[in-house]
Amino acid sequence: MNKKVVSNLIRSVVYQNTAAEGTPSLEAMNNLVKYLGDPETVDLVYEKILDRVLTDKTRSEVILSRAVKLLKTYLNLYIPTQDMLLKLDKLCMKLVTDNETILKSITFVRAIISKQLKPKSSVSLSSSATSEKLSQLTSFEKPGDRTSGSFHALPLSPAPEIKRESSGGKLVDNLNDKLKRDEKRSSGKFSPISIPSQTNTSS
């Protein structure tokens, strides 16, 4: 759709939602939300709200009140670009009215804008602080401390050898020999484990 056509449609929707008389229709409110929810047109909606206030020659408090109410309602839900937030903040600074309710709403809107402008710088500071901490931690590491995701298994003791005698086909467990030697070093008694002999059936 042509940009000029879209611009005119959004201006019409904004005018319907900030009319000095009557109540905005449900269709007008739904269309406003539709344009606010589109990243391509969200800034344009706020621009038309800004223009609505600045171009109102009647200086109607009803129009001003409804325009400020739109900002108060939607700025937390549909956030425009940083440049548009700054433009809206400048508008709020210029607004002069004796209506205490409107003044409180304007102050509230400026607080929302301030909140939306801060995250960019705070995230940057947080990221730099995190990077600095990481660099300090890694500076204490020695080369070769890291294993690049690998692990070292504990060395396993070799299993006792089981020797097979060639004569008679008997199995001799060298564990008995080792345990006998250990027995001589200690005062306790030890009965060697007997292993049943196997008869070699092979001819």
Side-chain angles (χ1 to χ4, degrees):
M1 189 179 292
N2 188 284
K3 289 183 178 181
K4 186 175 181 180
V5 174
V6 174
S7 178
N8 289 334
L9 286 173
I10 293 176
R11 181 176 62 182
S12 176
V13 169
V14 169
Y15 270 63
Q16 292 171 30
N17 282 275
T18 57
E21 298 178 358
T23 304
S25 66
L26 182 61
E27 181 183 3
M29 290 187 289
N30 288 337
N31 286 333
L32 183 71
V33 171
K34 179 183 72 175
Y35 289 122
L36 282 169
D38 187 345
E40 298 293 328
T41 55
V42 59
D43 268 22
L44 194 55
V45 174
Y46 289 114
E47 183 179 327
K48 296 305 178 184
I49 295 175
L50 188 150
D51 290 343
R52 175 62 163 151
V53 174
L54 294 177
T55 59
D56 178 31
K57 296 179 181 179
T58 65
R59 296 292 184 264
S60 168
E61 284 192 345
V62 177
I63 293 176
L64 176 60
S65 176
R66 289 185 173 180
V68 172
K69 185 179 179 181
L70 291 180
L71 298 178
K72 184 179 177 180
T73 302
Y74 295 114
L75 265 178
N76 264 330
L77 301 173
Y78 307 101
I79 304 172
T81 61
Q82 299 284 299
D83 289 340
M84 180 53 63
L85 286 170
L86 291 172
K87 289 180 181 179
L88 292 172
D89 192 48
K90 288 180 180 178
L91 169 68
C92 291
M93 291 173 64
K94 292 179 180 179
L95 294 177
V96 178
T97 178
D98 294 330
N99 189 309
E100 290 295 328
T101 303
I102 297 177
L103 284 175
K104 288 181 180 179
S105 295
I106 292 172
T107 302
F108 187 82
V109 169
R110 292 202 68 196
I112 296 174
I113 293 172
S114 177
K115 179 182 176 181
Q116 299 299 347
L117 287 172
K118 285 181 179 179
K120 187 175 181 181
S121 58
S122 62
V123 168
S124 177
L125 289 173
S126 177
S127 299
S128 60
T130 302
S131 300
E132 185 178 353
K133 288 182 179 179
L134 286 174
S135 62
Q136 290 176 353
L137 287 173
T138 54
S139 64
F140 289 104
E141 293 181 357
K142 298 178 181 179
D145 282 349
R146 294 189 178 185
T147 58
S148 302
S150 62
F151 65 93
H152 298 287
L154 293 174
L156 298 177
S157 300
E161 295 182 0
I162 298 177
K163 299 180 181 179
R164 182 184 293 273
E165 286 188 351
S166 59
S167 61
K170 294 183 179 180
L171 294 175
V172 178
D173 193 339
N174 66 341
L175 285 175
N176 281 335
D177 295 335
K178 181 178 182 301
L179 292 173
K180 287 178 180 179
R181 289 194 298 269
D182 292 341
E183 181 188 7
K184 293 178 181 180
R185 300 191 191 101
S186 61
S187 58
K189 295 183 179 180
F190 168 76
S191 299
I193 300 174
S194 61
I195 296 177
S197 63
Q198 294 182 356
T199 305
N200 189 357
T201 58
S202 61
S203 56

